[in-house]
Amino acid sequence: MPEIPAVPCPPPPAFEGQDSIRKEYVHLGRSDMVLLTSWRRTEDGEFSLSARWPAPTSGLPYDPRMLTQTVRQSGLVIAHAAYGAPLADHTLLNYFDLTVTPGFEVPPELPCDFTVEVTIKNAKKRGKKVSSLDMEFRILREGSLMARADSEFGWLSTRVYHRLRGEHLAVDWNAWPLPAPVDPRTVGRQTPADVVLATGKHPRHWQLRNDVDNVVLYDHPVDHVPGLALMEAADQAARAAVYPVSFEATTVTSTFERYTEFDRPCWVEAEILPAGPGETSVLVTATQDGNTAFRSRLSGPCGQALSALTG
């Protein structure tokens, strides 16, 4: 596909009968991180939402955190507002697959507006309550498809969740050691505050660093490492694995296998896999206490050496 030019985005058209977004629907305490502005049902099992991203600050063509947050927030809004998933229930993500249009970028120094189309592929209930939703997401800008995502959102009652988490429910928030970040250039970030990896025990091996000042990933205290923080770690690890060659993942497949705790080290390791000419594929695995917690495979075009950053 041809590269997509970075042009200012006009305001999206108003939806007829649109509903505003409650921050409670997206499980956030900070209103400034609510990316969605409205939603509506277009037909049975089909929905359309409007989203606005803030002006990018990462120095990347787009901020991967904004993309994953948009999918996360869209799924939560549809689940709560359209399917009645109780706000008190606890959300699970079993998998999160993402495909990005090559050349996708957002205009620098300007907010950008998107449309998110959501299709419910399968809805399951436990009694009268929704227990899981298989969702497909299409993120469009000015009518052009920018990204697609597939994910399964599930819910557990507070009683079941408390039994499952046990002693891990009690977290001494922000009391864990915070190791020094790796060089931001090696993970494709501009500032140490955006880096979620610390030096590990050998090459292509890092320790996850949970810096709660990174409010995009840590909006409020929780009892386990957020899934989007693990996906951000995977993106950074894939970039670091091939540094100083540039890398932008266009396909990402991720699975969440167990909760990642704050009070023990989580190790992130990258393995470069066989790929076609001009392509890179990296498998990133996060482990804790010897058990796999998260796994992600990121693939995309392999670029030139980042001489501007390394020189």
Side-chain angles (χ1 to χ4, degrees), residues 15-22 25 36-42 46-50 74 77-78 80-83 116:
F15 290 146
E16 291 186 6
Q18 66 184 15
D19 291 308
S20 60
I21 305 298
R22 295 169 49 189
Y25 280 167
L36 303 178
T37 58
S38 64
W39 74 277
R40 66 181 175 110
R41 188 192 307 268
T42 56
E46 300 280 346
F47 304 87
S48 183
L49 305 95
S50 59
S74 298
V77 165
I78 298 307
H80 292 308
Y83 285 83
V116 185

Side-chain angles (χ1 to χ4, degrees), residues 47-114:
F47 304 87
S48 183
L49 305 95
S50 59
R52 168 164 286 194
W53 293 7
T57 59
S58 64
L60 299 172
Y62 70 93
D63 189 335
R65 300 172 303 176
M66 295 297 107
L67 183 54
T68 52
Q69 270 284 3
T70 298
V71 174
R72 170 190 173 274
Q73 292 184 23
S74 298
L76 289 171
V77 165
I78 298 307
H80 292 308
Y83 285 83
L87 289 170
D89 281 4
H90 295 262
T91 306
L92 305 173
L93 280 182
N94 295 318
Y95 68 91
F96 194 130
D97 297 342
L98 191 63
T99 303
V100 181
T101 299
F104 171 40
E105 58 182 340
V106 297
E109 302 176 357
L110 290 172
C112 194
D113 295 299
F114 296 87

Side-chain angles (χ1 to χ4, degrees), residues 89-90 92 126 129 155-166 169 259:
D89 281 4
H90 295 262
L92 305 173
R126 185 181 297 111
K129 295 198 303 183
W155 288 271
L156 296 175
S157 69
T158 298
R159 177 179 57 82
V160 172
Y161 185 78
H162 283 195
R163 186 172 69 241
L164 175 67
R165 295 293 289 146
L169 277 172
Y259 291 105

Side-chain angles (χ1 to χ4, degrees), residues 248-303:
E248 290 288 342
T250 52
T251 62
V252 181
T253 58
S254 301
T255 55
F256 302 88
E257 300 186 17
R258 62 180 62 234
Y259 291 105
T260 304
E261 313 299 343
F262 286 112
D263 60 354
R264 300 191 301 283
C266 175
W267 302 103
V268 179
E269 188 161 14
E271 175 188 359
I272 299 178
L273 303 176
E279 295 285 321
T280 296
S281 185
V282 183
L283 176 65
V284 178
T285 305
T287 60
Q288 191 169 64
D289 298 331
N291 298 310
T292 299
F294 168 77
R295 199 186 307 268
S296 184
R297 179 168 180 165
L298 304 92
S299 302
C302 189

Side-chain angles (χ1 to χ4, degrees), residues 5 11 104 113-114 130 167 188 197 215 230:
F104 171 40
D113 295 299
F114 296 87
V130 63
E167 62 182 13
L197 300 178
V215 295
L230 294 170

Side-chain angles (χ1 to χ4, degrees), residues 175-196:
W176 49 83
L178 187 64
V182 299
D183 186 338
R185 296 174 298 176
T186 65
V187 296
R189 302 300 185 262
Q190 286 191 317
T191 66
D194 288 326
V195 177
V196 299

